[in-house]
Amino acid sequence: MNVLVPGGNLPLPGGALAVRVPGPFDVCALVTDDSGKVRGDADFVFYNQPAAPGALLRGDTLTLEPDRLRAGATRVTVVVGAAEPGTPLARLPLPTLHVADAPGRVLARFTPPPTQGETVLLLAEFYRRGGGWKLRALGQGYADGLAGLARDFGVEVVAEDSASTSGRAGAGPARGYAGEGGAAPASRQPTTARRPPSPGPVAPGPAFAPHGPSAPHGPSAPHGSAVSAADPDGFLALVNPARAAAGSPPVSLDARLSSAARAHAAALAAAGRLGTEGADGVSVHQRVTAAGYRYLAVGEHLVSGPRTTAEFVAYCLRTDQARQTLRGPAFTHAGVARATDARTGDAYWTALWASPLTPDGLARTEAEVVDLTNRERARAGLRALAADPQLTTAAQAHSADMVARAFYSHTSPEGSRPWDRAAAAGSTRRAIGENIACGQRSPAEVVEGWMNSPGHRANILKPAFTHLGVGFGGGGPSGTYWTQLFGA
């Protein structure tokens, strides 16, 4: 069985799948194509409409038969809300997704991070990739209820009682706003503001993959100096006072970030939907590195709705998670752009926040991961791991390789494994273990995630390990790629 974290992916076997979320929750499913929109109400599976081609909901279990989905369907998004309408999910136990194959073998389990005021959660999605299907863990919340989420996916929701506060689709009130919506955690996923009928975001968050101890068996260069960009709309005059009020240094506009923002905003407008990846298959982080900006820290806002720069910044400052990104003290540069969907007139915004990759900054980041790892070992009564130059070289090379070739695995495309990479870097350690992760925005976040995963935790707390190397890479589909390489 695979234990997933937000952003984690898993290839699935053929045949039927049982998707279960036990507890005081309503389970729903939205069947869409790559646009992220349903074709009609028949694509919305919920307690009042429990069946659609290839999908059947019975109690807390959704049975999916991907090969029997309606023509053109490439994605099924699983949604949970409180069984008691309007109840914030934070008042309930965390929902846990269980996925099993037809014989009943459990394939995966996913428990999202704790929520705040959200009442509905995009829990996971099943999507077609190539000739097969995969599962992606999401864990992204909506604060405006199931009716708002349904509209974002293109489902028509009719209000039976305009005074109702119910969050159930088909019985709740229409939303009375434009350009606002639920926000994903800024440290993991883009902050999104939505206006009907824009689809909901599909944004990968952090993922982890451990590799246990095995049989016996280079750092990136900094990017160049900042390239200034014009600020005709007064963006800096709006954001830097807010940053100063939070004690964060001012940012300057960088032409490379602005170029990447323009390209991604245009891709969002062309597709008519929000997402860290455009219809061209290129992620916003890949656009940043392709523009020539190599970063150590990155943040983004992907927003649909605001008509002006002032409205866009006002939204970011009004929403908790979006405000955290805008005020992020690690950022030194920014870029912002807006594009319009010619079909609907909706505005799509991309704002990018970053600080450049430097040798000193990379060394500090790696050292912080080592320090946090050793704190966890100290709590368990274990001796500290020593930083190892050869293991660091191998770990850094693997993170950079995952960014450059857009893969996420302990095994490289040509088949090299962790101990192969350690030996190639000159290491003579007799045993090797590896943890990898993607999507986390800080050393503290990545170590915390590893410690919350049994396989990664076992590597970190293995008494036999004596040395550690850490690697970090910015870019690729997930934005950040981390590697821990342990040796004994």
Side-chain angles (χ1 to χ4, degrees):
M1 182 188 65
N2 294 275
V3 178
L4 300 179
V5 297
N9 290 267
L10 179 70
L12 296 169
L17 300 166
V19 182
R20 180 171 176 259
V21 185
F25 306 105
D26 274 341
V27 180
C28 311
L30 293 137
V31 181
T32 66
D33 55 21
D34 285 337
S35 73
K37 292 185 179 181
V38 298
R39 287 186 177 178
D41 291 350
D43 282 346
F44 187 24
V45 179
F46 67 118
Y47 66 98
N48 255 357
Q49 184 172 274
L56 177 64
L57 178 63
R58 289 178 176 167
D60 61 7
T61 301
L62 175 72
T63 300
L64 290 180
E65 296 182 81
D67 292 340
R68 296 186 57 196
L69 293 171
R70 54 101 168 149
T74 59
R75 184 184 305 160
V76 178
T77 304
V78 177
V79 180
V80 296
E84 183 65 28
T87 301
L89 291 171
R91 297 182 186 175
L92 304 175
L94 289 175
T96 296
L97 179 83
H98 302 263
V99 181
D101 60 13
R105 180 173 63 98
V106 178
L107 303 173
R109 187 176 72 239
F110 168 57
T111 302
T115 57
Q116 297 180 17
E118 296 91 334
T119 57
V120 170
L121 194 68
L122 300 185
L123 194 55
E125 66 175 2
F126 297 81
Y127 64 100
R128 181 162 25 207
R129 181 60 54 87
W133 284 77
K134 299 182 74 174
L135 166 66
R136 176 185 290 125
L138 296 177
Q140 179 178 333
Y142 276 67
D144 52 344
L146 186 58
L149 177 144
R151 285 193 181 85
D152 283 350
F153 277 77
V155 178
E156 183 65 24
V157 180
V158 179
E160 295 178 354
D161 178 1
S162 61
S164 171
T165 58
S166 170
R168 290 174 181 251
R175 290 184 296 167
Y177 65 84
E180 294 185 25
S187 63
R188 295 183 175 91
Q189 305 181 81
T191 299
T192 57
R194 293 173 290 279
R195 179 173 63 190
S198 300
V202 179
F208 296 87
H211 198 293
S214 306
H217 67 201
S220 302
H223 93 0
S225 58
V227 181
S228 62
D231 185 15
D233 296 322
F235 179 70
L236 295 182
L238 294 167
V239 302
N240 277 334
R243 290 178 59 83
S248 298
V251 293
S252 60
L253 289 178
D254 184 274
R256 292 159 295 189
L257 294 179
S258 297
S259 174
R262 284 193 298 272
H264 199 68
L268 299 182
R273 64 181 178 90
L274 296 169
T276 56
E277 185 176 288
D280 55 4
V282 180
S283 78
V284 65
H285 308 105
Q286 288 171 309
R287 298 188 204 281
V288 171
T289 54
Y293 194 108
R294 302 178 67 192
Y295 58 79
L296 186 63
V298 69
E300 62 279 332
H301 292 108
L302 309 179
V303 177
S304 174
R307 295 162 296 178
T308 66
T309 301
E311 286 185 5
F312 168 73
V313 174
Y315 163 76
C316 294
L317 291 173
R318 190 167 58 245
T319 308
D320 288 343
Q321 298 294 344
R323 184 167 57 247
Q324 290 179 20
T325 297
L326 187 148
R327 293 176 171 179
F331 302 134
T332 58
H333 300 121
V336 65
R338 171 184 182 270
T340 302
D341 183 341
R343 298 158 296 187
T344 65
D346 289 342
Y348 287 84
W349 295 78
T350 298
L352 298 169
W353 313 82
S355 60
L357 180 68
T358 65
D360 287 347
L362 180 62
R364 286 194 300 271
T365 296
E366 294 170 344
E368 188 172 350
V369 173
V370 173
D371 178 63
L372 290 168
T373 300
N374 280 331
R375 292 185 192 182
E376 298 295 343
R377 288 178 65 87
R379 291 189 184 100
L382 301 171
R383 61 179 173 176
L385 302 174
D388 184 285
Q390 288 78 30
L391 295 179
T392 297
T393 297
Q396 181 60 38
H398 189 53
S399 288
D401 192 27
M402 288 190 288
V403 169
R405 294 199 279 178
F407 74 97
Y408 178 63
S409 175
H410 295 286
T411 304
S412 71
E414 66 275 4
S416 71
R417 305 294 295 276
W419 46 92
D420 300 321
R421 295 188 288 272
S427 175
T428 57
R429 301 292 166 195
R430 293 172 296 172
I432 294 293
E434 183 178 80
N435 285 344
I436 59 175
C438 64
Q440 297 76 20
R441 302 302 173 90
S442 70
E445 186 180 350
V446 73
V447 173
E448 180 183 7
W450 278 326
M451 287 298 295
N452 287 334
S453 170
H456 304 91
R457 181 185 179 92
N459 272 347
I460 288 174
L461 301 183
K462 184 175 177 61
F465 285 142
T466 57
H467 291 76
L468 175 64
V470 174
F472 168 84
S478 295
T480 60
Y481 291 79
W482 304 80
T483 302
Q484 280 184 317
L485 200 57
F486 301 86

